[in-house]
């Protein structure tokens, strides 16, 4: 029988949180933020076009999306520790495999293993473990610590990998990535216990029976079958798709864009790292604004800020100091892709089938991540510059903002109509 969690001087679940933090601190940053650091060196050595090389990221994202349901079930029902170790080793071996590639198809093959590792170790396992170890009272706080890993990691890992690539060559960048995953991250997985029951302690953060009853009574909103048929759902899918294209297109190409403009690779990495690191601050800013001014006003502000991010990148090609605008406000604009959609979904559809509805909406983000990196690189191949891609993406973000606005407006209209009908029925 599990002992009381209150009797523990230090709850073991926070060690699980630290493991999840490391998954994002190292794994997320190596996979996403550092991807652009290799592009110029590899394409110049082998003569690949940037879009054809960057396609490996799209393949990896597609594999992640397709394999996630299967890997998620494995992590929930199987030996979580063993699965995470195996997937992490697979991902590290794929980075090593990149070092011996000479043809595009070889990069594409190893991208499959990267996608499997990304799905299991970065996208799914931290969230699943937090869900196992923490009840709803503490789950949000625990996930906040976990997700902070990617922003903080970008400040240190991205400049490190860029410096190694610049000094020793791109292959040593992948050697370093593989070594980090095997020697720094994988050993932490050995301390993972999938559930508090297996550790013999009680789960923390659960509601009392009275609180559960109260919350169950308050649950309202649409069922998933109803939500999927509404125009609001279509608007949300459009917005999520476009934001994912924008976010991944920027992260995987901005560093090489700055390098093309003449910035030293280390300087370009530093700008990108600071901008990514400020995402952690940006989420708190948007949270404060949402509480004080409301969700609709905050969404409009965040969309406008994200549009301005891409305009700053465009004008950097004409006026260098514009890059500081990108660095300063990306933390707020870039946060919209992950922070606001869950809140907007709850506002529109309620909490009755929230998990299923948001999961359906979030599929559009998965599709967007397969399109973003290669589409921006393709525009470079066609025009010889990334600046036109930034203008195009600014327009996409603006359309995403309109879609969010329409979704909330339509939901308000539907809810007001339902309220009037309820009053008329009572009368």
């Amino acid at each position: 029988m599990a002992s009381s969690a209150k009797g523990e001087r230090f709850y073991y679940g926070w060690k699980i949180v630290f493991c999840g933090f490391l998954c994002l601190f190292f794994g997320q940053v190596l996979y996403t933020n550092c991807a652009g650091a290799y592009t110029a060196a590899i394409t110049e050595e082998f003569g690949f076009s940037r879009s054809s090389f960057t396609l490996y990221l799209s393949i990896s994202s597609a594999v992640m999306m397709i394999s996630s349901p299967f890997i998620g079930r494995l992590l929930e029902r199987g030996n979580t520790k063993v699965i995470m170790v195996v997937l992490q080793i697979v991902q590290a071996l794929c980075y090593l495999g990149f070092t011996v590639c000479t043809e595009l198809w070889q990069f594409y093959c190893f991208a499959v293993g990267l996608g499997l590792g990304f799905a299991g170790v970065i996208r799914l396992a931290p969230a699943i473990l937090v869900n196992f170890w923490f009840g709803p009272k503490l789950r949000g706080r625990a996930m906040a610590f976990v997700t902070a890993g990617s922003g903080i990691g970008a400040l240190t890992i991205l400049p490190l990998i860029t410096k190694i690539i610049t000094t020793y060559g791109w292959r040593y960048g992948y050697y370093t990535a593989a070594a980090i995953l095997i020697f720094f991250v994988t050993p932490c997985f050995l301390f993972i216990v999938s559930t508090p029951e297996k550790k013999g302690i009680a789960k923390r953060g659960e509601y009392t029976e009275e609180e559960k009853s109260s919350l169950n009574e308050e649950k309202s909103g649409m069922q998933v079958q109803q939500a999927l048929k509404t125009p609001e759902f279509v608007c949300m899918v459009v917005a999520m798709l476009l934001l994912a294209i924008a976010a991944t297109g920027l992260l995987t190409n901005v560093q090489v864009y700055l390098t093309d403009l003449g910035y030293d690779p280390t300087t370009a990495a530093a700008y990108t790292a600071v901008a990514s690191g400020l995402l952690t601050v940006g989420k708190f800013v948007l949270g404060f604004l949402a509480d004080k001014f409301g969700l609709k006003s905050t969404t409009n502000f965040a969309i406008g800020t994200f549009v301005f991010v891409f305009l700053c990148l465009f004008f950097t090609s004409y006026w260098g100091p514009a890059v500081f605008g990108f660095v300063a406000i990306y933390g707020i604009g870039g946060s919209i892709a992950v922070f606001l959609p869950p809140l907007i979904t709850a506002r529109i559809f309620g909490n009755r089938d929230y998990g299923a509805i948001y999961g359906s909406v979030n599929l559009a983000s998965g599709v967007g991540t397969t399109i973003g990196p290669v589409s921006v690189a393709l525009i470079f191949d066609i025009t010889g510059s990334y600046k036109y891609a930034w203008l195009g993406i600014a327009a996409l973000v603006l359309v995403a903002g309109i879609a969010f606005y329409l979704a909330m407006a339509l939901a308000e209209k539907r809810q007001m109509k339902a309220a009037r009908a309820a009053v008329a029925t009572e009368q």
Side-chain angles (χ1 to χ4, degrees), residues 96-349:
L96 292 177
F98 277 176
T99 66
V100 298
C101 291
T102 57
E103 302 288 341
L104 277 172
W105 67 267
Q106 295 168 341
F107 283 98
Y108 297 162
C109 288
F110 285 114
V112 173
L114 283 185
L116 294 173
F118 182 76
V121 178
I122 301 170
R123 179 62 64 88
L124 297 172
I128 288 172
L129 287 169
V130 166
N131 187 62
F132 280 154
W133 277 87
F134 294 90
K137 286 184 176 180
L138 288 174
R139 194 173 294 145
R141 193 183 310 172
M143 278 306 299
F145 282 117
V146 170
T147 55
S150 58
I152 298 172
L155 293 170
T156 54
I157 303 303
L158 179 55
L160 170 66
I161 294 296
T162 301
K163 182 66 175 178
I164 290 171
I165 292 172
T166 304
T167 306
Y168 302 105
W170 62 269
R171 289 178 179 83
Y172 282 90
Y174 286 130
Y175 291 146
T176 304
I180 287 172
L181 294 182
I182 291 174
F183 297 113
F184 286 91
V185 184
T186 304
C188 294
F189 296 166
L190 301 178
F191 297 96
I192 287 178
V193 180
S194 57
T195 65
E197 290 77 14
K198 290 183 179 179
K199 187 69 176 173
I201 58 179
K203 185 176 183 177
R204 284 193 181 179
E206 293 282 26
Y207 287 123
T208 64
E209 291 302 319
E210 290 182 1
E211 289 171 327
K212 287 180 181 179
S213 300
S214 175
L215 287 169
N216 286 335
E217 290 175 1
E218 293 174 1
K219 281 199 171 185
S220 61
M222 285 190 176
Q223 294 180 329
V224 64
Q225 296 87 346
Q226 295 174 296
L228 297 179
K229 299 175 183 177
T230 63
E232 297 97 300
F233 179 81
V234 175
C235 290
M236 287 295 295
V237 166
V238 170
M240 295 288 280
L241 173 69
L242 297 181
L243 283 181
I245 292 173
T248 56
L250 185 151
L251 274 179
T252 54
N253 290 282
V254 66
Q255 186 175 341
V256 69
Y257 165 66
L258 295 176
T259 305
D260 287 346
L261 292 181
Y263 288 89
D264 177 83
T266 304
T267 302
Y271 287 152
T272 307
V274 173
S276 298
L278 289 174
L279 284 170
T280 303
V281 178
K283 293 171 186 175
F284 286 104
V285 171
L286 290 183
F288 169 78
L289 293 176
D291 290 339
K292 189 169 183 63
F293 300 105
L295 194 54
K296 187 181 291 185
S297 297
T298 302
T299 301
N300 293 338
F301 171 74
I303 286 289
T305 304
F306 207 19
V307 169
F308 193 64
V309 165
F310 290 101
L311 293 180
C312 286
L313 288 175
F314 172 78
F315 285 112
T316 298
S317 62
Y318 300 101
W319 185 58
V323 71
F324 295 110
F326 154 69
V327 173
I329 64 174
Y330 173 71
I332 296 175
S335 294
I336 186 176
V338 294
F339 184 80
L340 290 179
L343 302 179
I344 296 172
T345 302
R347 171 169 175 166
I348 292 173
F349 300 110

Side-chain angles (χ1 to χ4, degrees), residues 46-70:
F46 296 114
F48 304 148
S49 67
R50 290 189 180 180
S51 58
S52 60
F53 172 69
T54 308
L55 184 60
Y56 89 85
L57 286 169
S58 298
I59 293 171
S60 183
S61 295
V63 170
M64 179 273 295
M65 190 168 50
I66 294 168
S67 66
S68 286
F70 173 70

